[in-house]
C-alpha cells in the first residue's frame, strides 16, 4: 500500500495506527489536541494552547531537540514548511522518524492542509470545528478595503507582506496591506515607510508583544487596533471565532 503524501509531495511511512505524535507547530498542536486527545506526547515551548496541555517540551520551532524527539520514538512528527527548518526535518527522517510537513499560505490552504493531516496522516475523521471554520471564512471580504500595516516585530520594524497566511486572512477581513507588493514576505521597514500611505495599524501580541504602551506611539494620529496574535496568525480551532473577533477589534480601533 503506498505511503501517504504530505503537502510538499513527500511520501511519509506512517505506522498504523498512529498513537504517538510530536508537534513542532503551535497551531497544529492545538488542532491535534482538540481533535485527537491523547495522541500528543511532546510539543514546543511555544505551544501554548490548549493551556492545560501536559506533554513534554522539546524546545522551539526553529531549534527543536532532535535527539530527544528521536528518543521518544514517535509514530509521527508534524511540521510546517515556514515555521520549521528543513535541516531538522532531514535529521529526523535520517533517524527513521516519519515527518509530515504542512504548507499553509492562505486560509483555504489551511483548511485543506488540516483536513489532509487528520484524514490522511492520522487516519481520523475530519473535525467538526474545521467545517465551522470554513463556513466562518466563506463570506467575501467587506469593501472598500482599508489600507493597513501589520507589524510583527520592531527594532527593526518587520511587517506582514505577500504570500503569507496572515496576509490572506487580513485580505478577507477587508484590509489592503500596503507592503504586500514588496519582494520579501516579511519586509523590514524604516519608521517613515511604516506609517506612509496607511489608514490603520494592526498590532498583534505575538510574535512581538505589542501593547497599549508599546507600539501605538509609533503611529501618531492614526487608528491602531491591538489584536490577538493567535487569532491573526494561527490556523486551527481559533479560526472558528477569529473572523468575528478580529472584525470587532478592527471596528473598535481608536483614532
Amino acid at each position: 500500500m503506498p505511503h501517504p503524501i504530505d503537502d510538499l509531495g513527500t511520501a511519509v511511512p506512517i505506522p498504523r495506527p498512529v498513537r504517538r505524535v510530536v508537534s513542532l507547530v503551535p497551531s497544529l498542536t492545538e488542532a491535534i489536541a482538540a481533535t485527537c486527545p491523547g495522541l500528543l506526547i511532546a510539543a514546543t515551548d511555544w505551544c501554548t494552547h490548549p493551556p492545560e496541555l501536559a506533554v513534554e517540551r522539546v524546545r522551539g520551532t526553529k531549534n527543536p531537540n532532535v535527539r530527544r524527539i528521536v528518543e521518544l520514538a514517535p509514530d509521527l512528527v508534524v511540521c510546517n514548511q515556514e515555521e520549521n527548518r528543513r535541516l531538522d526535518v532531514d535529521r529526523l527522517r535520517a533517524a527513521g522518524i516519519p515527518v509530515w510537513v504542512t504548507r499553509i499560505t492562505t486560509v483555504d490552504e489551511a483548511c485543506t492542509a488540516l483536513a489532509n493531516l487528520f484524514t490522511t496522516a492520522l487516519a481520523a475523521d475530519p473535525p467538526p470545528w474545521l467545517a465551522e471554520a470554513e463556513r466562518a471564512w466563506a463570506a467575501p471580504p467587506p469593501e472598500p478595503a482599508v489600507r493597513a500595516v501589520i507589524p510583527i516585530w520592531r527594532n527593526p520594524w518587520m511587517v506582514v507582506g505577500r504570500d503569507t497566511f496572515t496576509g490572506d486572512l487580513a485580505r478577507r477581513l477587508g484590509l489592503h496591506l500596503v507592503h504586500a507588493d514588496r519582494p520579501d514576505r516579511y519586509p523590514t521597514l524604516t519608521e517613515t515607510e511604516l506609517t506612509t500611505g496607511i489608514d490603520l495599524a494592526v498590532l498583534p501580541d505575538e510574535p512581538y508583544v505589542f501593547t497599549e504602551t508599546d507600539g501605538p506611539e509609533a503611529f501618531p494620529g492614526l487608528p491602531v487596533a491591538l489584536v490577538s496574535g493567535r487569532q491573526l496568525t494561527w490556523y486551527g480551532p481559533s479560526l472558528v471565532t477569529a473572523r468575528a473577533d478580529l472584525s470587532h477589534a478592527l471596528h473598535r480601533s481608536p483614532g
Side-chain angles (χ1 to χ4, degrees):
M1 188 172 180
H3 296 313
I5 306 297
D6 72 7
D7 292 356
L8 300 189
T10 301
V12 184
I14 305 174
R16 300 298 184 196
V18 175
R19 293 193 176 94
R20 298 168 58 81
V21 175
V22 173
S23 173
L24 300 183
V25 185
S27 297
L28 300 181
T29 298
E30 181 181 25
I32 295 170
T35 308
C36 303
L39 283 190
L40 288 170
I41 60 169
T44 74
D45 296 340
W46 300 106
C47 295
T48 56
H49 285 76
E52 68 277 8
L53 182 66
V55 298
E56 183 169 336
R57 303 297 171 155
V58 287
R59 296 204 300 245
T61 58
K62 305 295 186 186
N63 65 334
N65 188 337
V66 172
R67 178 178 298 179
R68 179 56 184 155
I69 295 171
V70 173
E71 290 174 350
L72 289 170
D75 297 321
L76 186 65
V77 174
V78 178
C79 293
N80 176 262
Q81 184 185 33
E82 177 176 341
E83 296 195 48
N84 305 115
R85 302 188 307 170
R86 176 62 183 268
L87 174 64
D88 295 317
V89 171
D90 290 344
R91 286 174 173 171
L92 287 166
R93 286 176 173 163
I97 304 298
V99 181
W100 186 270
V101 182
T102 59
R103 176 172 55 203
I104 296 172
T105 60
T106 67
V107 173
D108 287 343
E109 279 189 356
C111 294
T112 299
L114 287 164
N116 196 32
L117 170 65
F118 287 114
T119 61
T120 304
L122 300 179
D125 293 331
W129 60 259
L130 184 54
E132 290 183 50
E134 291 184 272
R135 288 193 293 270
W137 290 95
E143 295 183 353
V146 176
R147 294 171 59 85
V149 64
I150 304 178
I152 58 168
W153 203 257
R154 71 180 304 178
N155 298 323
W157 286 98
M158 296 178 66
V159 303
V160 175
R162 64 174 183 87
D163 301 333
T164 61
F165 169 78
T166 300
D168 183 60
L169 187 147
R171 178 188 64 79
R172 292 165 182 260
L173 291 171
L175 303 180
H176 169 68
L177 300 185
V178 299
H179 301 292
D181 58 350
R182 293 176 179 243
D184 294 334
R185 298 176 68 236
Y186 298 97
T188 299
L189 306 180
T190 66
E191 291 189 4
T192 299
E193 291 172 324
L194 183 70
T195 57
T196 300
I198 66 167
D199 301 311
L200 175 67
V202 181
L203 305 183
D205 59 9
E206 63 174 78
Y208 187 92
V209 185
F210 289 105
T211 67
E212 291 183 359
T213 58
D214 186 354
E217 77 286 348
F219 302 90
L222 290 168
V224 174
L226 292 165
V227 302
S228 162
R230 173 172 165 263
Q231 291 189 319
L232 190 65
T233 65
W234 287 37
Y235 34 85
S238 60
L239 283 174
V240 174
T241 58
R243 186 169 194 170
D245 291 345
L246 289 169
S247 295
H248 181 65
L250 296 178
H251 181 71
R252 291 179 61 250
S253 57

